[in-house]
Amino acid sequence: MQRYHDCPQILREFLIYHENIKGQSPLTIQEYYLDLRMFLRFVRLMRCDMPMKTPLEDIDIKDVDINFIREIESADIFDFLAYLANDRAINPESVAPDYGISPASRARKLSSIKSFYKYLTVRTKQLEENPVAELEYPKLRKSLPKYLTMEQSSALLQAVSGPNEKRDYAILMLFLNCGIRRSELVGLNLTDVYEDRIRVVGKGNKERFVYFGYACRKAIDAYLIERNKRELTDNRALFGSRDNNRISVTAVHRLVKKALLQAGLDSTQFSAHKLRHTAATMMLSGGVDVKTVQEVLGHENLNTTQIYTHIENTELKIAAEANPLSKLDFSDKME
């Protein structure tokens, strides 16, 4: 927690709780830190005799304590959300930045604040009142996740080439067959690979087994011949980098983008996460029920998985309308 040297003790304790007790990912902890630091800086700016143009980054909050937080009211939180929606620069370094961050970004920051107050009221009971308990999230525009078609998936796999061809091919096969997250793939060890499945450690350090088919097994076996000839700094790792370390999330991102470009696909529209969407969509297309897909993907809430059923419904509608018989009109027969 040395990296959070500029935040108050009460916030550090919250971050330690979520990292060590709740077992949340480093990325989630980092988001909590940035969101709550911004929130507390904003409240201090509103409370103190400082020019309104003072950059939030210049505001010291190291002495913020429970008494300061106890005085924060719902109105302060509404002011913060209004600041995010109207006055927060999207690209501060730009010559002419736009202002007002997206509803999704505002919702994430509100989620961080809600988690903080839940910790203070329910977990540690340092506060009695929770000013955000009933606060609603910004309304988000719902959009279906992007995914590759069967033809695009095939083209992606066929396009893999280069010095790490077998490794990259095995990684793409795991994404497309198992729908695992990038962080889960990076964390795979040699001992996590079984005859017909892998053991995955997901969010909150929850373990699950994900099965794969013959083609995926064949791809892993081909890669393992090369892997077993190498010695990595962390020799437990299933996938290694060219400098003999465990492969990183960034390296996985790059290799997926490279394969997309080689396949002639738009690398700005697709990513490793979109391959996860693809796997989920293909499973539902193949008749797998949504509850099973939820278990495969490691979703805690079924609602998260059900968005893929909307994709499926859309495809079914398109298929029905593509049928030439759907254009025939013998309405006089029904009169």
Side-chain angles (χ1 to χ4, degrees):
M1 284 291 168
Q2 290 297 321
R3 59 192 181 280
Y4 304 130
H5 60 89
D6 60 343
C7 69
Q9 182 63 25
I10 194 167
L11 178 52
R12 286 167 61 86
E13 291 170 356
F14 166 79
L15 298 173
I16 290 169
Y17 168 78
H18 276 276
E19 183 174 57
N20 297 332
I21 307 300
K22 299 287 284 184
Q24 293 190 307
S25 70
L27 179 59
T28 299
I29 302 301
Q30 176 74 1
E31 288 175 347
Y32 279 152
Y33 162 66
L34 294 174
D35 294 343
L36 292 169
R37 186 182 65 172
M38 180 190 294
F39 170 62
L40 294 173
R41 283 173 167 174
F42 175 84
V43 174
R44 168 144 282 180
L45 176 63
M46 294 296 102
R47 295 276 176 83
C48 297
D49 186 18
M50 283 187 263
M52 289 301 295
K53 293 291 185 182
T54 303
L56 290 185
E57 293 71 22
D58 295 344
I59 298 174
D60 186 3
I61 57 168
K62 286 198 290 290
D63 63 343
V64 163
D65 57 14
I66 191 62
N67 294 321
F68 178 92
I69 293 170
R70 187 176 286 115
E71 294 175 358
I72 297 175
E73 300 174 348
S74 297
D76 297 313
I77 297 160
F78 281 123
D79 286 344
F80 178 63
L81 294 175
Y83 159 75
L84 295 176
N86 302 304
D87 302 317
R88 181 66 181 174
I90 298 175
N91 298 303
E93 305 301 323
S94 173
V95 177
D98 291 326
Y99 292 88
I101 64 176
S102 70
S105 296
R106 300 200 306 272
R108 195 200 76 190
K109 289 180 177 9
L110 179 56
S111 178
S112 296
I113 295 170
K114 280 178 172 282
S115 294
F116 187 46
Y117 273 100
K118 183 177 179 181
Y119 163 80
L120 293 173
T121 54
V122 178
R123 303 300 178 198
T124 62
K125 302 190 185 305
Q126 297 180 67
L127 292 179
E128 294 182 2
E129 300 292 329
N130 185 344
V132 294
E134 305 299 325
L135 204 58
E136 295 182 355
Y137 288 97
K139 190 171 183 180
L140 303 179
R141 181 179 65 85
K142 291 185 179 179
S143 58
L144 297 177
K146 294 183 182 297
Y147 61 96
L148 275 67
T149 63
M150 186 66 185
E151 292 74 19
Q152 289 172 326
S153 300
S154 178
L156 179 66
L157 292 168
Q158 291 179 28
V160 178
S161 61
N164 296 305
E165 180 176 344
K166 287 184 171 56
R167 183 201 66 179
D168 296 354
Y169 185 80
I171 286 174
L172 293 175
M173 285 293 282
L174 279 169
F175 278 139
L176 290 169
N177 281 263
C178 302
I180 58 177
R181 302 177 177 94
R182 273 191 306 176
S183 59
E184 294 170 344
L185 181 131
V186 166
L188 286 175
N189 292 325
L190 288 164
T191 53
D192 292 327
V193 180
Y194 295 79
E195 186 63 29
D196 56 355
R197 62 198 184 279
I198 52 172
R199 185 184 71 93
V200 176
V201 180
K203 290 186 175 180
N205 287 324
K206 293 180 180 177
E207 296 182 9
R208 69 184 190 279
F209 283 97
V210 183
Y211 287 80
F212 48 72
Y214 170 75
C216 191
R217 173 78 254 184
K218 189 176 178 182
I220 294 172
D221 286 343
Y223 163 68
L224 284 175
I225 294 172
E226 290 185 353
R227 168 65 184 87
N228 291 330
K229 296 176 182 177
R230 298 180 62 190
E231 189 79 20
L232 304 181
T233 52
D234 181 357
N235 211 38
R236 301 170 303 163
L238 174 60
F239 293 109
S241 62
R242 61 185 176 185
D243 55 1
N244 291 324
N245 291 317
R246 180 185 290 270
I247 198 169
S248 67
V249 169
T250 303
V252 172
H253 172 77
R254 284 199 299 264
L255 75 85
V256 171
K257 291 292 184 181
K258 176 187 173 186
L260 287 165
L261 287 169
Q262 289 174 329
L265 299 171
D266 189 346
S267 63
T268 65
Q269 295 295 311
F270 299 110
S271 62
H273 197 63
K274 298 301 185 293
L275 302 187
R276 177 170 159 85
H277 294 330
T278 301
T281 306
M282 295 298 179
M283 289 177 207
L284 286 165
S285 298
V288 180
D289 68 271
V290 69
K291 185 68 179 173
T292 301
V293 175
Q294 177 194 5
E295 294 179 13
V296 171
L297 297 181
H299 286 159
E300 192 165 325
N301 194 315
L302 185 62
N303 290 336
T304 309
T305 315
Q306 284 177 330
I307 188 170
Y308 299 108
T309 64
H310 301 319
I311 295 175
E312 217 25 48
N313 291 339
T314 301
E315 287 196 337
L316 290 172
K317 184 174 184 296
I318 292 171
E321 291 176 348
N323 188 331
L325 293 175
S326 69
K327 307 295 190 297
L328 297 181
D329 182 9
F330 296 111
S331 53
D332 58 313
K333 298 290 186 183
M334 302 174 64
E335 295 176 356

